[in-house]
């Protein structure tokens, strides 16, 4: 199986998730209020390529999707401008 990490493939992936699941935030899940039967939580571990993570976040924003990003505290990854 070939993995495709292109942003066009990511958009398709997000469309499939939105079609079949309600996307919720971690805080919604942990509050345990009104959790839908079929849900998905999207989180990203940014170990490298913070610029690529920003592009993904911009796509999610345009699609109305909330997700969580965890940035490693490493010089090549932890970029406050991108995190903001």
């Amino acid at each position: 199986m070939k993995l495709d990490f292109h942003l066009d493939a990511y958009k398709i992936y997000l469309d499939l998730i939105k079609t079949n699941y309600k996307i919720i935030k971690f805080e919604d899940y942990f509050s345990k209020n009104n959790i839908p039967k079929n849900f998905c939580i999207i989180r990203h571990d940014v170990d490298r390529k913070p610029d690529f993570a920003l592009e993904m976040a911009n796509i999610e924003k345009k699609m109305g999707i909330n997700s969580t990003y965890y940035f490693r505290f490493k010089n090549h990854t932890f970029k406050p401008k991108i995190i903001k």
Side-chain angles (χ1 to χ4, degrees), residues 55-68:
E55 291 182 58
M56 293 175 70
N58 285 327
I59 290 169
E60 293 166 352
K61 182 178 180 180
K62 287 178 187 172
M63 296 178 75
I65 293 172
N66 290 307
S67 67
T68 302

Side-chain angles (χ1 to χ4, degrees), residues 4-75:
D4 188 354
F5 291 105
H6 296 281
L7 294 175
D8 290 335
Y10 187 57
K11 290 177 194 175
I12 294 167
Y13 170 73
L14 292 175
D15 278 331
L16 289 170
I17 291 173
K18 283 181 69 170
T19 301
N20 296 295
Y21 300 93
K22 170 77 173 153
I23 301 172
I24 66 172
K25 298 183 279 184
F26 270 107
E27 64 189 57
D28 297 334
Y29 179 76
F30 289 115
S31 71
K32 299 183 182 184
N33 293 325
N34 300 320
I35 298 173
K37 181 178 180 182
N38 294 319
F39 69 92
C40 178
I41 297 172
I42 301 174
R43 79 169 257 200
H44 306 274
D45 292 331
V46 183
D47 297 325
R48 55 191 174 99
K49 298 184 181 184
D51 293 319
F52 191 74
L54 178 60
E55 291 182 58
M56 293 175 70
N58 285 327
I59 290 169
E60 293 166 352
K61 182 178 180 180
K62 287 178 187 172
M63 296 178 75
I65 293 172
N66 290 307
S67 67
T68 302
Y69 285 79
Y70 292 95
F71 285 80
R72 291 191 64 186
F73 197 70
K74 301 281 185 180
N75 287 337

